[in-house]
Amino acid sequence: MSEIAKASGLIDGPQEVMDAAQFADVSGVTHVLRFDEALCTGCGLCEAFCPMEVIAMKDGAPVAVAAEACWGCETCSGQCPVHAIRIEAAPGAGCAAEPEEPAPPLDKETRDRYREWAAVLRDVLGLRWHPVAVSLIRAGEPLPDVPEPTERLRYCQALMAARRGRALMMPANRHACPDGTSILGLTPIPAKLASGELYILFHKLDSVEAARRMVGERPSLPARSVRATVTCPLDDPRCKAEVVAVIGTPEQMMWLSMATSYYTGHRHDFHASGYNAQCVETTLLPLTTGKINISFGCYGCRASSDVDDAMMMMGIPVTLMDDVVRGLRELGKRAIPQSRDKVYLPPF
């Protein structure tokens, strides 16, 4: 078990695996899968790629054999070479959850402090979009008063929505990526992901052994230990944040790294792989280690969100934010403007 896992109670290695059909939650979001018979070639890629085993080929045509288990991840439609699949989402028809008393609103002092952090990050770094406040609501904790999306979204999509100013709370039945939810502790991991099978189909790794090693080595929270994720603009906070996620240029990430070590001179050991960028690298590692971490993004977040090719990400534990902001203010007095002015660039 890794040092990270020992320190934080993470699962490091085999995770609880759940049969795909057990993920169905009719009180969440239901989906209708529509197959265009005129376009469909019967290639079977939709069946192969579906992580939830919703689709099966019958008589050479795809059929939704477990539509109630569909998470709306759109992997099937994204992999269909002729775009013959359309997924339509609607509120579930099951019984609504029992109403409960929401968590108390965030106190004014904390709100003001978060807004001050956001202002410094945006003004000194020149961020185009909002820094994002991330919270994981643990099992048994009351839910804050934050709107849920009407459709399922990937966690990385919720981060990007918050970056653009939208606050969202997502219980498991609002998440579209079963890989991310298993990492963040909302659900067990589906068998097709735990086995590494899907990573080989995507040509992300060379072998099943390599895929299993990647899945086994990445950290994750215990299944069902988290009730919901909350992502908000840092200057519009709805509950106490645990991580501040910043999406920006490599140059902006450099200044954040320097701000974190401004008072200590400490160099950073970053963990990045290109797999599970937002859930592991930007969120889980900063949350559990208490250290900043960078991410280059991953296949999923770049394929399903508006994050620009020139952008990368950083997760900052809230416990470090006061020092980061103080250091950034100091760097903004001379180092940042001089560097951006290219003061040492020889004339040509």
Side-chain angles (χ1 to χ4, degrees):
M1 182 176 285
S2 71
E3 292 304 313
I4 293 173
K6 290 177 184 177
S8 60
L10 297 179
I11 295 174
D12 189 35
Q15 296 173 248
E16 179 186 352
V17 178
M18 185 178 284
D19 181 78
Q22 294 177 274
F23 278 94
D25 186 343
V26 295
S27 66
V29 175
T30 59
H31 296 86
V32 177
L33 283 73
R34 303 192 185 280
F35 304 101
D36 190 328
E37 296 179 2
L39 293 177
C40 180
T41 64
C43 67
L45 286 177
C46 53
E47 177 186 24
F49 274 95
C50 177
M52 307 309 296
E53 302 177 55
V54 169
I55 301 171
M57 298 299 292
K58 293 188 177 181
D59 299 323
V63 176
V65 294
E68 71 281 358
C70 177
W71 275 42
C73 68
E74 298 188 345
T75 304
C76 58
S77 59
Q79 293 298 319
C80 178
V82 294
H83 307 293
I85 304 173
R86 189 171 75 252
I87 299 175
E88 298 177 357
C95 297
E98 287 292 325
E100 60 178 80
E101 188 71 23
L106 193 61
D107 62 275
K108 183 179 184 301
E109 180 182 354
T110 303
R111 287 201 311 271
D112 290 345
R113 186 166 76 253
Y114 289 1
R115 287 167 178 162
E116 180 184 357
W117 292 347
V120 173
L121 289 173
R122 294 189 70 174
D123 294 345
V124 178
L125 290 176
L127 293 176
R128 182 178 180 186
W129 304 110
H130 301 274
V132 179
V134 176
S135 306
L136 302 184
I137 310 303
R138 305 307 195 273
E141 293 180 348
L143 296 174
D145 185 15
V146 183
E148 298 180 14
T150 55
E151 295 190 22
R152 288 181 184 259
L153 296 175
R154 296 170 185 267
Y155 175 67
C156 48
Q157 292 173 323
L159 271 178
M160 296 308 155
R163 165 182 169 242
R164 289 179 172 271
R166 185 181 178 190
L168 290 173
M169 178 173 66
M170 299 202 306
N173 63 20
R174 290 299 187 272
H175 278 265
C177 177
D179 207 7
T181 56
S182 65
I183 289 167
L184 293 173
L186 285 94
T187 66
I189 186 171
K192 288 176 75 171
L193 288 167
S195 70
E197 174 187 345
L198 280 187
Y199 287 97
I200 303 306
L201 287 173
F202 279 114
H203 292 277
K204 293 182 183 178
L205 290 156
D206 177 65
S207 64
V208 170
E209 289 74 24
R212 286 176 178 168
R213 180 176 183 179
M214 185 277 294
V215 172
E217 286 186 353
R218 72 189 183 193
S220 62
L221 294 172
R224 305 182 189 88
S225 64
V226 170
R227 193 178 176 192
T229 60
V230 177
T231 49
C232 305
L234 186 59
D235 53 7
D236 184 22
R238 309 300 179 86
C239 57
K240 283 191 175 181
E242 296 175 274
V243 171
V244 174
V246 181
I247 298 92
T249 65
E251 187 254 11
Q252 291 166 336
M253 300 301 110
M254 179 194 79
W255 293 119
L256 282 174
S257 299
M258 291 176 64
T260 309
S261 59
Y262 184 82
Y263 295 100
T264 66
H266 178 66
R267 300 184 71 88
H268 305 291
D269 295 316
F270 294 131
H271 296 265
S273 69
Y275 298 99
N276 311 117
Q278 308 297 15
C279 42
V280 170
E281 296 170 355
T282 306
T283 301
L284 193 53
L285 287 174
L287 186 151
T288 56
T289 65
K291 300 177 182 178
I292 65 171
N293 196 56
I294 61 168
S295 176
F296 306 114
C298 66
Y299 172 99
C301 77
R302 293 194 178 276
S304 63
S305 78
D306 67 340
V307 63
D308 186 84
D309 293 347
M311 298 288 121
M312 59 186 297
M313 304 86 189
M314 178 179 287
I316 307 170
V318 163
T319 52
L320 296 182
M321 280 299 298
D322 282 324
D323 285 343
V324 170
V325 168
R326 285 197 304 137
L328 197 59
R329 278 195 173 112
E330 294 300 318
L331 291 169
K333 293 176 180 177
R334 177 175 295 180
I336 293 176
Q338 283 193 341
S339 176
R340 290 176 173 175
D341 285 344
K342 309 293 184 185
V343 295
Y344 301 126
L345 182 67
F348 292 99

